[in-house]
Each structure stands twice: as C-alpha cells, then as structure tokens.
Amino acid sequence: MTMNFFRGVMGGQPAGPQPTGAETIHKLCDRVASSTLLEDRRDAVRALKSLSKKYRLEVGTQAMDHLVHILQTDRSDSEILGYALDTLYNIICNDEEEEQDESEDMAVAPPIPVSGKHKNVPVSDENAQKQDEDLGVLFTDKFLGDSENVTLLLTLLEEFDFHVRWPGVKLLTALLKNQCNQVQGVILVSPMGVSRLMDLLADSREVIRNDGLLLLQQLTKGNAAIQKIVAFENAFERLLDIITEEGSSDGGIVVEDCLLLLVNLLKNNSSNQNFFKEGSYIQRMKPWFEVGDDNSGWSAQKVTNLHLMLQLVRVMVSPVNSPGATSSCQKSMYQCGLLQQLCTILMATGVPADILTETINTVSEVIRGSQINQDYFASVNAPSNPPRPAIVVLLMSMVNERQPFVLRCAVLYCFQCFLYKNQKGQGEIVATLLPSTIDANSISAGQLLCGGLFSADSLSNWCAAVALAHALQDNLTQKEQLLRVQLATSLGKPPVSLLQQCTNILSQGSKVQTRVGLLMLLCTWISNCPIAVTHFLHNQENVPFLTGQISENLGEDERLVQGLCALLLGICIYYNDNSLENYTKEKLKQLIEKRIGKENFVEKLGFVTKHELYSRAAQKPQPVFPSPEQMLFDHEFTKLVKELEGVITKAVHKTSEEEKKEEEVKKTLEQHDSIVIQYKDLIRDQDTQIQELREQVSTLSLNSEQMQNQITQQQSQIQQHKDQYNILKLKLGKDSQGLSSSQGEGAHVNGLHSEELSQLREEVEELRRQHTLQHTQLSDKDSLINTLRCGAAAAAQTAEGGAGGSDNTELLGEVESLRSRVQAQCAEISQLQTERLELIRRAEAVSSAPASSRESSADTVPVSELESRLAAQTTEAERLKEECRGLREGHAGLEQQLASAQSTVAIEQTEKTKLQQEVQESKKEQDDLLMLLADQDQKILNLKQRLRDLGETIDEDEDELDARDHFGEDDDDDDDEEEEDEENND
C-alpha cells in the first residue's frame, strides 16, 4: 500500500489540480521520515536530489534535517548515503555544476508546473547570483549548527565506496568555501581529521584524488596550524610525485591544483618553508624549468603551470621572509643549479612575455642580498654575437619605451636586487661611467643608464634615475667616484659633470615623473656625503632654484616636487661641512627663514610622506604600479625619507649658538673618544700579555705535576724494595735459627775442629767490616740529605717572602711534599740500619757459643751433614751480600732523582719569581691607565650632561657602552683588591 501511494505521488499526472513544488517536497520529506522500508526512503531521497537544484530553497528548508538523519541511521546502504550527500551538496554549493544523471533523475521526478518553479522569478543575473550565494551561506550555517555534522561527514569519507566518498568530498569542499574558518576549527579539533583528508591523495580513482586536492586547497587557506599538520602528513612528497606523474609543466589542470596547494602550504609559513628546504624538495624543482631550443606554441595550461612554479620559488625567497631562511634557500637554489636553470629561461628565445616577466622577478629575489648568487648573475652572458652580459641586455629592455610596462618594472626590480647589499656590483656599475673604463666599441650598463636618464621618455628617465640611485645606496666611495663622471652635451661645448647635468634638466621644467626621479637620485647621491654636497652647492644656480620651487604656490601635482626640493635643500644643510663661505649651514638656514619661512619649509617637507603613492611604495621592495603615471616612489628612497625627515626638521630650527656648542661638544667627544679608544687598545694588549703569562704558569704547573708523578713512581719502587727486604729478613731469621741449633748439636755431638770455627769467625768479621763501610756511606748520605733539606727550607722561606700569589702557594706545597718524602726515605734508611745491626748481633751470638757446650754434645749427626749445612749458610750469606749491594745501588739512584727534582724546583722557583715581578709591573701600569680612564670618563660624563642641558639627544647605545666600560674597570679594581688581600693573608 505504501509503494502504491508513493507511485501515485511520483507517477503519471492524475486528474485534478496538480501539487506545487513545495507540496511535493513536503510529501517526499514525510516519506523519508515515516517510511519503514529502505527502498521507499531511498526513492524519496533520490527524488529530493532531482528537485534540489530547481527547488533549492524548499529542499534546503524542509529536507536538511531528514537528510542528516539518513546519514546517521542508514550507514549500511551506500546508495541512499550517496543520494543524501548529493542533495546536501546541491543546496549548499553556489557553483553552477552540470546536472548529472539527468535522464535518471527525470525518470523519478514528479511533474511540476512552470508557475511553481523557484527560479522562474524574473531577476537579473547579478541578483540571482547574489541570492544563490546567500542561500549557500544560509544552509551552510544551518548544517554547521551542530558541529557533529562535520564529524559525521569526516567519518563518511572513510567509506571506500565511490558513491559515498566522492559526494562527501564535494560537500565538505562546498562547506569550506562558504564558512572556511568555522569548518577549519571543527576539523582541527577532530581526532585524525586532517589525516583522513590526506588519505584522499592516495586514492587510486583520479576523480576523488583531484577533488581531494581542491578540498585541501580550501582547507589550508589562512590557517597555519592546519598547514603544518598537512605538511607533516607527507604532503610535499605526495604532491611532488603527482606533479612528476602528470608531466610537470606540460601536465594538465591537476598540476595546477597541486601547485596551488603547495603555495598555500608555504606562503608566509616559516615552519613549512624550513621543512621543505630541509627535506631537499628544492632540488626536485629544478627539472620543472628545463626548456628546449624551440619554445614556440606553449599551451595556456603550460603557461599557467610554469607561472605557478615560478611563484612557488618566489615564496621560498620572498623579502618578507626572515633573512636567515631566505639566505638558506638562496644558497640551496644556487647549489642545486636552480638559479642557473632560471637564467637559462631568462636568456632563451621564444618564451612568452608573461613567463619572461615572472622569471625576471623570480631571479631578482633569488639573488637579492646573496653575494654568491649576485656574482653568478653578473657572469651570465646572453647568447648573442658578441656575447653581452645579461645585465646589459636587461637594461636595454628597461630603457626601451616600446617594451611592455610590466617587463620594464621587472627589469628595474632585477637591477635593484642585483645591487642590494652588493658593494662589489655597485663599484662595477659606476666604473662603467668613469672616463678610464669607457669602451667605445661596446655598450655598457653605465651608458644605457645615462641614455635613459636623458631620453625623452619620462618613464625611462625615472627608471634610470632609480637604478643609478641604487648603485650609490649606502656606498660613500661610489658617491665620490660618480662626481668624476663628465658628459659631452654637444659639439664645441666643454663637458659638464653628471651632477650638473641632472640639475640642468631639473631646472628645465620637464614632466613630474622625470623631476621626481632626478630629485630622488640627487637626494640619495649627496646624503651622507659632504663632498657631494659641496659640489652641488658650488653651482650658484642650484640653491636659488630650490628656494624658488619651494616658496611658490603651485597646484596639487607640484606639491610632491616641492617636498622633494625641500628634502634636497635640507640634506644640503644637515651634511654641510661649511667649506663654502657663501653656503654655510647658518647662511642656508637664514635663507630659508627669509624666503620660505621655517614653518612653511617643514610643511612642504611633510608633503612627501603624506602622499598616497609614498605609502604604497614603502610596503614592499618590488615596484608594482597599475600604470606608468603612478610610478613615482622607490622603496629604498622611502626609507631614506623616513630617516632624514626628523633630523632635517631639527637642523632647520637650531640656532647658530646651538650649532656652535654642538660642534664643540662633538669635537671634544671625538677627541676623548679617540683617547679612550687608545687606552682601551692598550688595556687589551696588556690583557693579552697577562693571558700569555697565565698560560706560562699553567705550563709550569703541568711540569710540576709530571715531577710529582715521577716521585710517586719512585715511592712505589721503594715500597717494592721494602717488601723484598722484609721477605729476605724473614728467610734470614729462620736460617740463622736453624744454623745455630744445628751447629750446637754438631759441636756437642761430634766436636767440630777449631779451624772450622775460626773460619766461621773470619766470615763474621768480614760481615762486620762491610757493615761498618755501609754505615759510613749511610752517614754521608744523611749529611747530603740534611744539606738538601736546608736548601729546601731556604727556598721555602724565599718563596714565602715573595709576591705570595696563588701560584707561589702551589710551589711551596710541592717543596713541603718533597721535604716530607725525603724524611720518609731517611726513616726507611734508619729502619734498614737497625735491621742490619740485628742481623750482626745474631751472627755474633752464633760465633760466641761456648766451646764446652759444643764439645760436650753427642756425636749423633754425621760430619757430612754438618758440612752441607755450613755450605748452605755460606751460600745464603753471599746472597744476602748481593741483596745489600742491590739495595745500596737503588738508594743511590733515588738520591740522584731527588737531587734532580730539587734542582728543577729551584729553576722553576727562579722563573716564577721573574713572572711575579712582571705581573706586578703590569698591574702597576694598568692601575695608572685606569686612573687616567676614570678621569677621562668623568670629563665625558660632564660634557654629555652639558649636552643634555643644552637639549641635545645623546645616543643611548654609547651611554650603555661607557657604563659597561666603567663597571668593567670597577670590577677589575675590585679583583685587584681581592688579590692583594689574599697575598697579605698568605
């Protein structure tokens, strides 16, 4: 029954009144909400999809909640999910899409009368588009009313089914287009939200992958956090792989989408730029710019792709990036050959004009501020006969009025970037203007600039003037060199200087653009160059011309020229060295006050910074102007104006007395500064000498440690000898006891003959004599040790009476250590003597045994056994003699080492005493210098206080530096006092 009712609604036209579109949609929504059969709901949603484009408002208003409910409940049926997603996309999307499956949709769509269609309201196309956009935003806000809807949509994107995934991607893209920030916020906090979208790039179905690229483009707009997440999801690797697979610059629109996404990820995102560089992805960009000999017939898509590739390179080296990141990328581009490849395109033939212009801009930013890249660019030659430098070829295009305006601007930007922070390049350009380097057979950069400066085209005048000003930027040497340039104006007339020719053209009343360019050149030229100011004022016509221009009441267009003339005159005052009597600072200020008025002068000077084009030029270095007439200000010149406006205003209002006082104070400060610098250099030299002395002390300490290690080794050897002696002593005691008992028994038993006893007594006497001799030698050694001990004590007293520094304390400790070791060795020698006397006593006791006891012993031991024991005793005695000789030799060697150590200590003590004397002298000299510095600092502080009282501004950096020097000197004094206290305590 339900199906019959649905077919009645959706089938043929019954008799009677026909339902309106809203009624039909209401019935379909009821069927979606109430039908229990999946087929009924699927057919109803399909019908809503077919009506969603024609009845967008009605379907969006009535069916959105039901469609969202379908997405939540009917997850198992991919077909109904696809219909629901398509319907939501149709009512949210504002783009005109081709109707898909038209025949299939019409088969189930109910017949609607023409009068019921929503789009038949007669409105203009603009109003219809505005209404569609409002509807898209309205339904987007309704869908985003519950953030869980976006989370639900992200979950549906995990479905692999094409009929679910593809419409889900399109719906999410439409939501991002209408309410980007809100959708980005939901996706950002959704778990694995960005990762799910990144998986779209790996889909094997190209239509999903390509729409996934469009989705990521919208997702990454203006959100640095999402950009970082996408980049760290390996986006760079995947996008570059897709570009390579699609044919790089020869690829289709997919390459364009990948490049747009890369630009989104890298622009103004330093983290992603660093990740791109560190991942070696810059090297993978080089093959994009390989062009052949025949460059004709480029397709529009290839031009678009290559334009985006160049833009991607510029994003990495943009002047708005941090200087460190830009420099690193510039270095990588040179090392991988990318810069060389771009220069090849620059000099190639047949390249489209817009690609050539963008290539020039790209090369400009790749070489800007990078010395190695600028040097390479200077060496590039055009493939002409004869070969010409690329700079010359580009300048020929800049001064050619037939070239496109954007191309001439690009060449000017390239020339400016080549000279930016490149004093070497500036010198080479100026050198082409000097008489000694001019080659009549070739065209040089200087000749082209002069030709453009004096041509009839005002744009060429302006570009040449700005380019020449960049050759002088922050380079005093080249400003002075350019004063030597002489120009031949016509036959029969003497040559005039370039400076004079510029002022002549300025006074002839040419176009505003030409005069502005020349004034910018003159201001840059003479600023911070008193010699150039003198040359300019030497021409008697220049100052009256400037005062006349400033004092006149001219129209709005001439106000800018008046302001620049005021700036030029102010520079002549501020950087005037008073070398010309008629145009000193004071006379020029009096002239301004009489003919112009100080307030009027300052007001005219303020016109420059208030100009609209001034603010536009100050924003970025690249000269970008909508039309040639608006090309008036240069970026670097705006910095100069900002720097000089305040100081010129202050200089004009100063009185002559203030000027004199300021000059006197400046001269005094300069003199004192020079004296302070000399003393600081002297102190630095003394610090270096002290450091060298400290290094010598460290070397001596190291030698002392080596000697201590040698003494330690000697102690270990003494200990070894002591242990061996103890073992021998124990063995000798046992053998003596055994021999005494055996002799007693033998004499008692057998009655040894008197001649054997006499032989034994002679051996004992021999041992006594040897003992006496050893005792005499030991006495000699004792006296020698006492002598060394006395010498060491004297050396210690000398060391204690010296400077008493920390290094003397260490040497005295080493002497005391040697003294204690000598005493220990004396104690060991005394112990050895005692033990030797004990052995002699035992031998005498054996020899003096009573004869009666020997004769009364029983003859129980054979004579042969007694003889063998006597022989063993004799052998042992001989061995003991050898051991005694060895001990004496070892003792003699120890004494020699001790004597050598004592002599080394004496030598080191002498050197230490000399070093201490030198240190004392150095400290005395340093104290004298510090006293002088303190006096000088006090004088400087007084003078600076006088300056402050007079209203002058003192540089805070110099005050901080003087304060640091003052505190550093106080610290040094405190250190010296602490060292003297330690010496007194010692």
Side-chain angles (χ1 to χ4, degrees), residues 828-884:
E828 289 175 357
I829 292 171
S830 299
Q831 185 178 358
L832 292 176
Q833 291 175 352
T834 303
E835 290 172 354
R836 182 173 296 279
L837 290 174
E838 181 65 21
L839 290 176
I840 294 172
R841 187 184 61 78
R842 290 181 183 179
E844 289 176 353
V846 171
S847 62
S848 61
S852 60
S853 63
R854 289 195 300 270
E855 292 174 355
S856 63
S857 351
D859 191 11
T860 58
V861 182
V863 176
S864 60
E865 184 177 353
L866 291 173
E867 290 176 353
S868 63
R869 290 182 178 178
L870 182 60
Q873 184 181 7
T874 304
T875 304
E876 186 67 18
E878 292 294 331
R879 190 175 66 79
L880 289 175
K881 293 178 182 178
E882 292 295 329
E883 292 290 339
C884 288

Side-chain angles (χ1 to χ4, degrees), residues 334 339-341 343 371-380:
Y334 173 76
L339 174 60
Q340 294 84 330
Q341 204 67 49
C343 290
Q371 187 65 53
I372 185 172
N373 291 7
Q374 291 167 338
D375 291 342
Y376 171 78
F377 183 71
S379 66
V380 175

Side-chain angles (χ1 to χ4, degrees), residues 802-822:
S806 59
D807 297 332
N808 289 340
T809 303
E810 295 176 359
L811 291 177
L812 288 174
E814 293 172 0
V815 172
E816 289 295 332
S817 176
L818 292 174
R819 185 186 303 164
S820 62
R821 289 169 186 166
V822 170

Side-chain angles (χ1 to χ4, degrees), residues 139-183:
F139 292 136
T140 299
D141 292 338
K142 184 177 180 180
F143 184 83
L144 297 177
D146 185 1
S147 60
E148 292 298 324
N149 292 341
V150 179
T151 306
L152 175 63
L153 190 55
L154 291 173
T155 306
L156 292 175
L157 290 180
E158 294 182 350
E159 296 287 340
F160 187 73
D161 191 285
F162 180 81
H163 296 90
V164 177
R165 201 171 204 184
W166 187 37
V169 171
K170 295 194 296 181
L171 175 58
L172 187 56
T173 304
L175 292 172
L176 283 166
K177 287 181 178 179
N178 293 335
Q179 291 290 351
C180 185
N181 294 335
Q182 191 173 353
V183 179

